[in-house]
Amino acid sequence: MALFGVDETVIAVLAPFAAALVAPTAVRMFWHNAAWLLAIVPALVFLHFFSYVGAVSQGQTFEEGFAWVRGYGVNFTFYLDGLAVLFALIVSGIGTLIILYAGGYMKGHPQQGRFMSFLFLFMGSMLGVVTGSNLLTLFIFWELTSITSFLLIGFDHLLAASRRAAMQALVVTGGGGLALLAGLLMIMNVTGETEMSNVIVSGEALRNSSLYIPILIMVLLGAFTKSAQFPFHFWLPNAMEAPTPVSAFLHSATMVKAGVYLLMRLNPVLGDTAAWITILPFFGGLTLLVGTLLAVRQTDLKLILAYTTVASLGLLVMLTGAGSEVAIEGAVIYLFAHALFKGSLFMVAGLVDHECGTRDLMRLGGLRKAMPITFLAAVLAALSMGGLPPFIGFIGKEMLYDGTWNLADNALLLTVVAVLGNGLMLAAAFGVAFKPFLGAPTKTPKHAHEGPVLMWLGPLTLAFCGLAAAVGIGWTGGSLIAPMAGAPVHGDYHLIPAHISAPFYLSLITIALGLFIFCRLDAVRQIMARVLKAIGWGPDRGFDQFISLVVRFAGVFTAIVQPGKMQVYMNTVFVVVALALLVPMGLYGEAPSMPAMPDFHFYEWLVLALIVMGVIAVLVARTRLIAIVSLGIQGFAVAVLYMLFGAPDLSFTQFMVETLSVVILALVMTRLNLSAHDNRPFRETISHAVIAIAGGIGFGALLLAVTQVPFDSRLSDFFAANSRVVAHGRNIVNVIIVDFRGFDTMGEISVVMITGLAILALIRVRKRGGKKEETPPGDGSLAPVSDAKPEVAP
């Protein structure tokens, strides 16, 4: 389908970016009520992707877009199947509610328009990730999610904690993104494909490739960092420094699931190997247990939910790597359920914080009468998160237990891990939903009251969706879950309804375990506090130590390579140039043969003698001013050679350039207050001589090698044939400079201009206190700049 000649899916993905442009203006005009207007954009995007549900449920796929950078095979294309459509519905559907929620949550904030703009930028980036077909386009959107997440986490940039959390998230997810880029490039190299729709049918080529393990490692690094898998899990709880709409949208329902999406998308080509079914269940299960144990330790509502999100992501990764089709179905339906109940609970936590002034469980209680709608949303979402009927979370738990229980390998181990993790998660969910609302009312920093409709509409809607999805499981399973599960396993699968079997009994055990932990939540919290105190060190502290080590290393390295001495810089440059010229010639046997002595005319001998005298004059000069003037002799001698060989225009240009260079350099040197003498150690003089000779031999050898190669006249013939016809110029040299390499000439002019500005700055340099530099003695005796390091401000 196309609208105005552009595919509608392209418009749908780009629509949030357009909304980001108008959001600040809309907020200035309508204040917080602009949320109602702005929410129309993601709502329309939701309706667009919803229109594909019927087709993808029947196994159809769609690819839309256009060629972007043809020469590199980069296309702006989008691939829609069950997996992409469900993710797009989650992003746009929850995004609609988040925009409304943000309107109420950020009411009165002076930067609400900027905040809305950032949200839309992220929304568009996430839509590009889950629908992108071209691998490089997908990577661009992948990195955009990291950048926009950085902007949203650090929105309260005046707070040190927000800045640290934003930088931490950017470093971790950005580093993983670079690893993912390497993996995608290797996939393109092995398969010869750039479109995801073609890659996912190239499973045997990838699994049999010698690059399979490097590809797997790079992809897993990208997915694990984005989806906060152990040991990269620490950035997600720290990201709770962001405003609650960010936590509800990015860090529960959408961005953190990008890694899970990637693993599901690439399961047909990277899965079903020993490495895949070992690494993913191990790290996923470990993340599940670590996340839930740390969750019950917390008293901050958002931190509890953040750690349970980490745990849920671990559960999804574990199921994705389990190697079972039923486990994949369990992962898919749990992912769908998690987006609903976790988005709702995060918004509930924000509502409580917004209307009570705190989100500390120890300071909250008895809010059910003051906030009845919020209480209802919290209970419905928590029951789904706890896996109780008749909610979608219960069906998801049944399916995932069915997937782990019937595995061929490690069935018992993974089932036990899943039961423990889900039991702890139920306790954490009930802690968030019941502790603040039941019991005796407590005194809160703000008078507790129900929030505005903009804030409770989202959590209540998502909570009821979790109930409706379970009640209408026939349509949910057939239209959403089964098509999405079919993409990771490349087949047609249908949701298995809940029934009395092993998964049902495992659900009962989970519920009993969760209720037991919930009733003893304070004791469990104290035990976890003692355990963490005994451990002492964790990945979060390790990240700080790593950054500190990088900073110290950067300081030492910079002190070595940037010591503040021009002499060191020049020596380094010329040593590298000499090595680059001489080493390849020696390694590859490309050194030129010694040419025969040319038969010079007497005037050519005079020019050669002039050049030699100029070199000697530079070497024996006592001051730099004399050396500069003597150096000009070489340029003038070259100009004479141009003239002798029939290039008067080049000769004239060389005369002018050399004259200006000598004059300007002499002017600068006379304005600098340098010491009177240049007393260099003999060892330094010898080293400089060796470097200079090596560089001279290298350039000379290169020129001889070039001239000894048969002349290729194709470029000369092209200029001769086209200078008059194309550029309408008779002087071929001028045409080349002005027309054929005009941009290069503009660059040279820019360099000359910048150099002139630098020279002007040197001439006008002043001493501290405002006094101008004193001019040197009248004889112009100059010496090099002192080697002493300049003072550095603390």
Side-chain angles (χ1 to χ4, degrees), residues 108-146:
H109 196 289
Q111 297 296 331
Q112 185 178 8
R114 180 166 64 96
F115 182 77
M116 290 288 199
S117 182
F118 290 166
L119 277 179
F120 277 116
L121 289 174
F122 168 79
M123 190 185 303
S125 303
M126 192 64 198
L127 285 173
V129 168
V130 300
T131 61
S133 177
N134 186 271
L135 297 184
L136 294 181
T137 306
L138 183 149
F139 171 74
I140 292 172
F141 283 113
W142 182 281
E143 289 300 273
L144 281 176
T145 61
S146 296

Side-chain angles (χ1 to χ4, degrees), residues 319 324 326-327 329-330 395-407 415 496-497 499 501-504 506:
L319 293 172
S324 164
V326 180
E329 282 195 1
I395 300 176
K397 185 154 55 35
E398 291 277 294
M399 289 298 301
L400 69 91
Y401 284 156
D402 194 30
T404 59
W405 183 256
N406 294 303
L407 286 175
T415 300
I496 302 173
H499 54 278
S501 60
F504 178 76
L506 290 171

